[in-house]
Every structure is written in C-alpha cells, then in structure tokens.
Amino acid sequence: MTQNFLVLGSNSFSGASFVAHLLKSGFTVQGASRSAEPHDAFLPYKWSGKADNFQFHQLDLNNDLEKIVDLVVAEDISHVVNFASQSMVGESWANPGDWFRTNALSTVLLHDALRKLDTLEKYVHISTPEVYGSTSGFVREDHVLNPSTPYAVSRAAADMSLNSFFKAYDFPVTYTRAANVYGPGQQLYRIIPRTILYALTGQKLQLHGGGHSERSFIHIDDVSSATLKIALNGKLGECYHISTPELISIRNLVEKICVALGVDPADMIEVVGERQGKDQTYSLDDSKLRDSLNWSDEISLDDGISETVEWVRNNLEALKQLPQSYIHKP
C-alpha cells in the first residue's frame, strides 16, 4: 500500500517541521491548517527543496470536518498525523470554551469520522505531557493523567476518548507526547526564539515565577524523526514519549542563551508572577521509544540553540516586523 500522509496543523511549528522531514524522506504530503500559510521563515518545508511534493489546504477542524474527510478519501490517505490544537497553556484560562471546542469536541468528531474509513492505516495523535500535571521523577506512558489547566484537561479528554475508540473499534491510533520542542522556525512567543530575539534587539524578557520550573528541551528534527518512526512502525494503541534525559530550568536556559550571545542576563531578565496552574516539572521516560523503535536524539541543546540563533540572525529584519506575542484565534 502506498503511504500517503496528511498532516493536520501543518502551519504549526511541529507540523511544518514534520512536513519538511517527510518531504526529505521522499514522501508526498498533504497539509491542512485553519489559517493561511504564514511567513516563509516559519515554514521549514519551504526550505527543504522538496516543496513541490507538498500541497496545502486551508481547512479548519472546527468548521471544515467534511472537507477534511473528503480530502482523506480523495488523496487515498493512509497516515493522518494530527498536530492541530489550541496549544497555549496560560491563555486557556481566559477562553476555556475555545480550547475544549477544538481540542476535545472537534477532535473527537474527527476521530469518529476517520474510524469509518477502511483506507486509514495509522492515525498519529500528537498529545502533550501537560496531561500528567506536575510529576516527580521520570514517568512512563502509563502514568496517571492529572491535568491542571483547561488546555491540559481538553487534551486529556481527547486522549481518553481515543483510547475508548481503540478498544471499541480497533481504531488504528498511536500517540506521542514530546518534551518541550524548539528549533529554527518556531513561533516567537516560545521561550528559546523569544530569548534570542530579545537579546539581539535589547528588549526585556519576563520570567514567570523567576523561571524556576524545569523542562527537557528537544530539537524539532529529533522529534520529527521519532514521529515518523512511530507513524510507520509504532504499535497500535500505544503512546510513545519523545524526550531527552536532560532537565534545565527556564532561568538557566535563558542565561545559557544570553551567555552565548554575549548579553548579561541581569540586564535582560524581569521576574514576574507565576502563571496560574503552571506545572513545575514533568520528566518523560522515553525508554519505550528508544528500545522498541531504535530511536535516539542526536542534536545537543547547545548545538540546537546555535542553529536557532543562526535562523533568527538570518531572518532578523523580517522577524522584528512580525508579532512577538501569542494572538488568540477562536
């Protein structure tokens, strides 16, 4: 069977980067997102040299479900990889209904439509470790779900519904939950590109709660390679963590970037109050992915930061003119 991919949320950082990885791997790809394609600086597949093998469709999961399903049928799609979601954690408190509409209701309706197609070989659901809440130590994929924000609750609802679909209908789902991703092409409101941009333009950077929460940061190219392995060879019904064993506090991360750019962190950092419901730590045990699918991460945090700095420098004039804060779209 020919492997044809549809990437939902292809305008997102992770989605666009995965499209680029698919194209470089020789696949022909369909992509769909609710908004028109953004500036080329945010579309790694435009840099791949293989963009002729990609077709973009402006389709909204909330309003264009029938058209999305028609696309799956028309293009004989065997693999759907879904990055589409309302993704900002802090902002989900202000408009929780929008998060539940997209991440729970519309997503479940998509699953219900896809399960009725007999051509679908694999549905890869891009979930989030936020569904675990704060954790102690490295947790495995069967860790109890304990979401603490509207965003996380809405994502956990879709995960639990998918599990019921797998049990009831043998729906061909696999899940991924990745650590904090970063790399060239990431939206400017994310911590690594924002820190680089602010350091290069002399802006103050606000650190919520002083930046003491710890995270694992993984380069998007490593995440994309893992996602493709999971799409092709992941076991149905299983979740796979994509991470690294290294943890770093947000403050130490910012200081590392400042040092690399020759900026004094004290001149740049402004400490502000903590975000409501923010998880302090979650650490993912990714041994299942490493052992069963022979995957390993290859890009160190220092090398990945250097690559992202180069991307910001190369696109600095354009990036300075683009929004640097998250803009909510209902």
Side-chain angles (χ1 to χ4, degrees), residues 22-308:
L22 286 173
L23 293 175
K24 291 175 183 177
S25 300
F27 294 95
T28 298
V29 186
Q30 305 290 322
S33 279
R34 64 176 178 168
S35 301
E37 291 175 300
H39 192 283
D40 285 3
F42 297 107
L43 295 175
Y45 59 78
K46 291 285 186 76
W47 325 330
S48 68
K50 304 283 187 178
D52 289 346
N53 292 327
F54 174 73
Q55 186 174 5
F56 174 73
H57 307 264
Q58 188 173 347
L59 297 171
D60 184 349
L61 183 61
N62 290 322
N63 299 306
D64 298 316
L65 176 59
E66 185 174 341
K67 293 179 180 179
I68 292 172
V69 175
D70 287 345
L71 178 63
V72 173
V73 174
E75 298 296 334
D76 195 23
I77 298 297
S78 61
H79 290 68
V80 174
V81 184
N82 187 9
F83 294 88
S85 70
Q86 292 275 15
S87 61
M88 293 298 287
V89 178
E91 286 77 359
S92 68
W93 290 101
N95 298 283
D98 292 341
W99 268 252
F100 277 90
R101 182 188 180 205
T102 300
N103 297 347
L105 177 58
S106 293
T107 300
V108 170
L109 292 175
L110 171 69
H111 301 158
D112 194 46
L114 292 179
R115 74 172 178 83
K116 300 169 185 175
L117 303 180
D118 57 12
T119 56
L120 188 66
E121 182 177 334
K122 186 75 68 69
Y123 173 81
V124 183
H125 185 68
I126 310 302
S127 182
T128 171
E130 296 277 351
V131 298
Y132 299 132
S134 289
T135 62
S136 177
F138 284 81
V139 300
R140 298 179 66 85
E141 288 85 351
D142 58 359
H143 189 75
V144 64
L145 304 187
N146 186 30
S148 56
T149 65
Y151 165 73
V153 175
S154 68
R155 299 304 306 275
D159 289 7
M160 295 173 71
S161 175
L162 266 175
N163 186 49
S164 71
F165 275 36
F166 172 72
K167 292 178 179 178
Y169 306 121
D170 293 322
F171 186 62
V173 60
T174 58
Y175 313 75
T176 74
R177 294 183 182 129
N180 287 55
V181 299
Y182 74 96
Q186 191 170 31
Q187 293 88 350
L188 299 177
Y189 48 80
R190 298 300 188 181
I191 187 62
I192 289 180
R194 183 175 61 190
T195 301
I196 296 169
L197 181 64
Y198 282 20
L200 293 176
T201 56
Q203 299 181 65
K204 282 282 189 181
L205 180 74
Q206 293 186 339
L207 277 190
H208 292 276
H212 298 297
S213 58
E214 290 187 325
R215 296 291 186 267
S216 174
F217 285 83
I218 182 167
H219 194 281
I220 190 59
D221 287 353
D222 286 330
V223 175
S224 293
S225 69
T227 304
L228 183 55
K229 282 181 176 287
I230 293 164
L232 297 178
N233 300 307
K235 185 177 178 180
L236 297 183
E238 294 288 327
C239 178
Y240 294 87
H241 286 165
I242 308 172
S243 188
T244 74
E246 299 177 10
L247 293 174
I248 187 171
S249 72
I250 302 300
R251 186 179 188 97
N252 286 345
L253 174 70
V254 169
E255 290 175 346
K256 176 189 284 285
I257 295 170
C258 288
V259 169
L261 292 173
V263 175
D264 186 346
D267 294 335
M268 181 176 166
I269 293 173
E270 177 186 356
V271 176
V272 297
E274 188 60 277
R275 292 201 315 261
Q276 184 176 5
K278 182 177 180 180
D279 301 326
Q280 287 303 306
T281 305
Y282 50 75
S283 310
L284 304 179
D285 181 335
D286 60 5
S287 57
K288 179 197 289 189
L289 173 64
R290 294 178 184 273
D291 295 342
S292 65
L293 296 181
N294 193 31
W295 172 86
S296 62
D297 56 306
E298 298 180 354
I299 303 172
S300 70
L301 182 57
D302 286 338
D303 287 346
I305 288 174
S306 295
E307 186 182 349
T308 310

